[in-house]
């Protein structure tokens, strides 16, 4: 029961931990160093749910004092750059009409009006409405990589590794995918992130109708999906790709990290 409650709240806890309840404020988090995270054992299963061993996950992550701010800034970067910025309204000088005085100046008992394009009229212009805007912001590539690795390492306790999902869902059926995920321990009523070693048309087709399932590939993992998921299911090939891309160098991994900086 306790394990079930942990899985149900894991994604919410991670999202809350790396998110701020206050409006975004322009500020800079300076990351001066990175540390090798303490290795975490993640279970490896076959597609039928049988345990076949374990793998260790230890990535190069941000120190504790900068990790939260760095991941939050990366999340804001991703979400803000996704805004199209195409919302647009017409001002009183842009709406159609308004050349004729609506009614005479005096004798009506109403306020004086000179144009029907006033924001006070139905169909008139919009005061202070949105105009097309570029919402994009910048973030260094090294910081983005470090933030994603930190988010992945923070979710290590909820990671499951499967030999191959694509081989078990060759028919492209949703029923096959849901059954396979259930066998390996990803409940259908929980938010799940499936990370494939490479894009597979059959798996993508099978999973597009599953409400609480997000599918990423190892070379395009989305930080929001990582923070939002209760369970992360990775193909073994995807885990190897993640370790190759984000694992610390051999010398860095061998050096003991200070207790205050060791990633949790």
């Amino acid at each position: 029961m306790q394990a079930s409650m942990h899985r149900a709240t894991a994604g919410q806890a991670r999202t809350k931990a790396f998110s701020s309840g206050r409006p975004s404020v322009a500020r800079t988090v300076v990351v001066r160093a990175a540390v090798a995270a303490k290795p975490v054992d993640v279970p490896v299963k076959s597609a039928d749910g049988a345990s076949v061993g374990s793998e260790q996950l230890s990535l190069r992550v941000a120190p504790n004092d900068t990790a939260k701010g760095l991941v939050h800034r990366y999340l804001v970067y991703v979400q803000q750059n996704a805004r199209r910025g195409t919302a647009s309204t017409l001002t009183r000088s842009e709406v159609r009409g308004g050349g004729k005085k609506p009614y005479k100046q005096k004798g009506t008992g109403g306020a004086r009006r000179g144009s029907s394009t006033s924001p006070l009229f139905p169909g008139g212009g919009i005061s202070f409405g949105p105009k097309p805007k570029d919402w994009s912001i910048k973030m260094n590539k090294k910081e983005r990589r470090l933030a994603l690795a930190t988010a992945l390492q923070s979710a290590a306790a909820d990671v499951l590794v499967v030999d191959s999902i694509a081989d078990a869902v060759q028919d492209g059926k949703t029923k096959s995918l849901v059954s396979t995920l259930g066998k390996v321990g990803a409940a259908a009523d929980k938010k799940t992130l499936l990370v494939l070693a490479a894009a597979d048309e059959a798996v993508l087709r099978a999973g597009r109708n599953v409400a609480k399932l997000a599918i990423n590939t190892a070379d395009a993992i989305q930080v929001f999906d990582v923070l939002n998921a209760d369970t992360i299911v990775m193909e073994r090939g995807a885990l190897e790709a993640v370790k190759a891309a984000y694992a610390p160098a051999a010398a860095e991994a061998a050096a003991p990290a200070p207790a205050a900086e060791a990633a949790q």
Side-chain angles (χ1 to χ4, degrees):
M1 183 65 177
Q2 294 180 349
S4 177
M5 294 177 61
H6 168 73
R7 287 195 299 271
T9 60
Q12 298 174 358
R14 282 196 299 275
T15 304
K16 183 177 180 180
F18 292 116
S19 301
S20 172
R22 297 174 295 178
S24 178
V25 179
R27 54 185 177 180
T28 301
V29 177
V30 180
V31 181
R32 302 189 183 279
V35 297
K38 182 179 179 180
V40 176
D41 288 329
V42 294
V44 180
K45 298 184 178 181
S46 60
D48 60 1
S51 178
V52 295
S54 64
E55 292 274 357
Q56 283 195 334
L57 182 63
S58 175
L59 306 180
R60 186 172 182 268
V61 301
N64 280 346
D65 56 345
T66 58
K68 181 177 179 179
L70 179 67
V71 176
H72 175 255
R73 191 154 58 91
Y74 182 42
L75 181 63
V76 171
Y77 163 85
V78 170
Q79 293 183 320
Q80 192 158 324
N81 285 8
R83 298 187 67 171
R84 297 179 63 186
T86 56
S88 183
T89 54
L90 300 179
T91 65
R92 65 179 300 165
S93 65
E94 296 170 329
V95 296
R96 184 170 180 264
K100 179 183 177 182
K101 187 176 177 68
Y103 47 79
K104 62 182 183 179
Q105 181 81 348
K106 295 179 177 295
T108 65
R112 297 171 291 185
R113 307 291 188 188
S115 172
S116 60
T117 62
S118 167
L120 304 180
F121 272 89
I126 303 297
S127 296
F128 310 111
K131 284 293 185 180
K133 176 180 178 178
D134 180 12
W135 288 94
S136 63
I137 55 179
K138 295 182 179 180
M139 186 175 182
N140 293 339
K141 183 177 180 180
K142 289 182 179 180
E143 287 183 310
R144 299 199 303 265
R145 287 174 54 84
L146 189 60
L148 180 57
T150 303
L152 285 169
Q153 186 68 42
S154 74
D158 300 306
V159 173
L160 300 171
V161 179
V162 182
D163 286 332
S164 177
I165 292 290
D167 292 343
V169 196
Q170 292 181 349
D171 57 0
K173 300 293 185 180
T174 300
K175 183 177 181 180
S176 300
L177 178 59
V178 172
S179 175
T180 301
L181 291 176
K183 289 177 182 177
V184 300
D189 60 339
K190 305 300 181 184
K191 292 177 287 188
T192 302
L193 170 61
L194 174 58
V195 184
L196 303 175
D200 185 276
E201 182 62 31
V203 177
L204 295 175
R205 184 168 65 251
R208 65 187 177 186
N209 197 35
V210 182
K212 295 187 177 182
L213 175 66
I215 302 178
N216 292 174
T217 54
D219 60 349
I221 299 177
Q222 303 300 311
V223 66
F224 177 82
D225 292 335
V226 173
L227 298 176
N228 191 51
D230 296 317
T231 306
I232 300 177
V233 179
M234 285 189 179
E235 288 188 323
R236 190 189 287 269
L239 179 64
E240 295 303 325
V242 168
K243 292 165 72 172
Y246 303 110
E252 184 178 359
E261 294 185 350
Q264 300 297 321

